[in-house]
Amino acid sequence: MSSPVRAATVSDREARTVAFGAFVGTALEWYDFFLFGTAASLVFNHLFFTGSPVAATLAAFATFAVGFAARPLGAILFGHLGDRIGRRTCLLITVTMIGVVTGVIGVLPTALSIGVLAPIALTALRLLQGIAVGGEWGGAVTLAVEHAPKDKRGRYAAMPQIGSPIGTLLSSGAFLAVSALPKDSFDSWGWRIPFLIAFPLLGVALYLRRRVEESPLFEQLLAEDERASSPVKDVVVHSLPQLLVGAGSAFLGVGGFYLATTFVISYGTATLKLPSSLMLAATLVAAAVEIAVLITGGRLAERYGAARITVAGAVFSAIAAFPMFWLIDSRSATLVIIGVTLGVACLSVPYAVSGALLTELFPARLRYSGVALSANVAGVVSGFVPLVAAAFLAGAGGASWTAAVLLIVIALITAISGMLAPKVALGRDDEVVEDVRG
């Protein structure tokens, strides 16, 4: 049996620097990842895929889902490396991968130019995106929490989460700006601009992330030779309950979000015939509100515990599911924005504390692998949520109640997982850092 990891010492300033570096890198990761989701709804379904509008939309969402299917591969690869060679090194690799891949998507020829090779190339790049994201979030949260004093874990664990709405704001904002172009210009070159912006953003992210120091807890594991030889195997074999509970607790924050954004954008434009600018504006407002929810949720986790906040947020989301779609179905611009914002705000409550909850489930020697695998098992299923919702919608003749029921099911899975989390947590109280001032 391994010996416990002693408390490490960091200053408040260092903890904030690490959390900010994790946030910036994660914001870029989610900008790139969400960009693909928006493009799948507005661009890829007719520029890269052929067939009927329904078939093309389903094909675009299937490609979107490929990125999620690849995320466990990234979790396995970077989880192993993160628990063996360090958190910081892996995070530099992941942010570089996704920035380069996203920029390359911006120069891809369409199906009109190269035929079937266009969707094949797009799918391959989405696969690489998924691998990179699969290793990014778990490492960012682990690094932030392992630099944080125990009584401040909630706020620091929420910092990488804020990268999600920032990524949404940037990606939706970029598409909203280019959507003002004439349709021919938008389809020929305008949609490429948001993807090409990934290159300069990558430079900023790398500059900031290189300034982040390695986790003090990992350095102690390295010095005392307490690293796991096969961390991914150890998580699967010895921590399967923690892995399943972690995945369930993260499901609503990821799968619910894509239901409330990617699917809703498609539903609003294709079924309700609402302007794409309105649907993008709704996601922008929702993302802005989400930032406040995430900050508040992180503080609430410090006071009431991440598990309780997870359950509360899941219950709120289930209650809000039908009202959310009723508001969207009204076709009133104001009510549509309120509906999307309501849904995103509720499901962001458990998302705010997901990092804090998952890092409590696993000890330091398995933490990167455990957190990454949990989040990305949820991510695999989440990636298919828009596809499943679209299929249910088509089967029900365009009735939105199917999507509302799907959201309720996801919320209940997260609520049950939140209730089970304290019973299976393996994180030890001595694996914290001491707060040093001055």
Side-chain angles (χ1 to χ4, degrees):
M1 182 176 178
S2 61
S3 59
V5 180
R6 296 187 303 272
T9 302
V10 297
S11 66
D12 258 352
R13 180 178 180 182
E14 182 181 356
R16 286 194 297 268
T17 299
V18 171
F20 184 71
F23 151 71
V24 171
T26 304
L28 172 62
E29 299 279 352
W30 288 124
Y31 167 77
D32 295 342
F33 210 66
F34 292 158
L35 202 62
F36 197 103
T38 304
S41 300
L42 301 178
V43 178
F44 297 153
N45 56 347
H46 64 274
L47 292 184
F48 285 81
F49 300 95
T50 58
S52 68
V54 172
T57 297
L58 290 176
F61 279 155
T63 304
F64 175 74
V66 164
F68 285 89
R71 285 172 62 171
L73 299 177
I76 292 170
L77 173 62
F78 291 107
H80 176 83
L81 294 175
D83 284 326
R84 291 293 301 168
I85 68 174
R87 288 72 157 112
R88 178 180 180 272
T89 300
C90 289
L91 291 177
L92 288 171
I93 296 172
T94 56
V95 76
T96 301
M97 278 183 62
I98 198 167
V100 171
V101 166
T102 301
V104 171
I105 290 176
V107 298
L108 270 185
T110 65
L112 184 63
S113 301
I114 60 173
V116 71
L117 291 179
I120 291 175
L122 183 67
T123 303
L125 290 171
R126 179 61 172 177
L127 185 71
L128 291 175
Q129 258 194 348
I131 291 174
V133 171
E136 161 64 24
W137 183 83
V141 168
T142 297
L143 195 64
V145 168
E146 290 186 346
H147 275 85
K150 182 183 177 183
D151 62 344
K152 298 179 181 177
R153 278 181 169 180
R155 70 191 69 183
Y156 288 122
M159 283 295 289
Q161 308 299 75
I162 298 174
S164 173
I166 293 296
T168 302
L169 284 169
L170 291 174
S171 60
S172 295
F175 258 103
L176 185 60
V178 297
S179 67
L181 293 167
K183 181 171 175 49
D184 289 344
S185 298
F186 176 79
D187 284 348
S188 63
W189 57 267
W191 70 269
R192 300 179 182 275
I193 295 175
F195 287 91
L196 295 174
I197 290 174
F199 285 128
L201 290 179
L202 172 60
V204 175
L206 279 176
Y207 169 76
L208 292 172
R209 187 156 277 185
R210 284 174 61 88
R211 299 173 61 194
V212 173
E213 297 295 329
E214 181 56 88
S215 159
L217 290 178
F218 178 80
E219 290 180 339
Q220 287 188 7
L221 288 171
L222 187 63
E224 299 171 8
D225 196 24
E226 290 291 341
R227 293 171 297 163
S229 58
S230 301
V232 174
K233 178 182 176 182
D234 287 350
V235 168
V236 175
V237 174
H238 301 297
S239 301
L240 186 58
Q242 291 74 23
L243 177 61
L244 295 177
V245 167
S249 69
F251 190 21
L252 178 60
V254 183
F257 182 83
Y258 283 109
L259 180 63
T261 54
T262 301
F263 167 75
V264 164
I265 289 175
S266 176
Y267 171 66
T269 55
T271 302
L272 301 181
K273 306 302 180 183
L274 296 170
S276 60
S277 58
L278 170 61
M279 303 313 299
L280 290 172
T283 62
L284 285 172
V285 174
V289 172
E290 184 184 8
I291 295 173
V293 174
L294 294 177
I295 294 173
T296 303
R299 297 301 179 95
L300 290 174
E302 294 173 358
R303 182 171 182 178
Y304 299 106
R308 291 178 180 175
I309 301 303
T310 297
V311 174
V315 171
F316 293 152
S317 298
I319 293 172
F322 275 100
M324 168 190 171
F325 280 98
W326 291 338
L327 291 167
I328 294 170
D329 287 343
S330 72
R331 290 183 170 86
S332 163
T334 300
L335 295 181
V336 167
I337 292 173
I338 292 174
V340 174
T341 302
L342 172 66
V344 171
C346 289
L347 62 87
S348 294
V349 174
Y351 185 68
V353 301
S354 183
L357 188 147
L358 292 183
T359 52
E360 291 173 357
L361 291 175
F362 303 95
R365 61 195 296 272
L366 304 177
R367 186 165 290 141
Y368 197 137
S369 297
V371 171
L373 283 170
S374 296
N376 289 293
V377 167
V380 170
V381 183
S382 298
F384 290 91
V385 166
L387 179 63
V388 171
F392 284 173
L393 185 75
S400 65
W401 65 265
T402 55
V405 170
L406 182 58
L407 181 57
I408 291 173
V409 171
I410 294 171
L412 292 178
I413 291 172
T414 292
I416 294 170
S417 299
M419 288 186 283
L420 293 174
K423 304 179 188 301
V424 301
L426 293 176
R428 297 192 294 265
D429 287 342
D430 56 343
E431 293 176 346
V432 298
V433 294
E434 296 173 350
D435 185 12
V436 177
R437 304 177 191 277

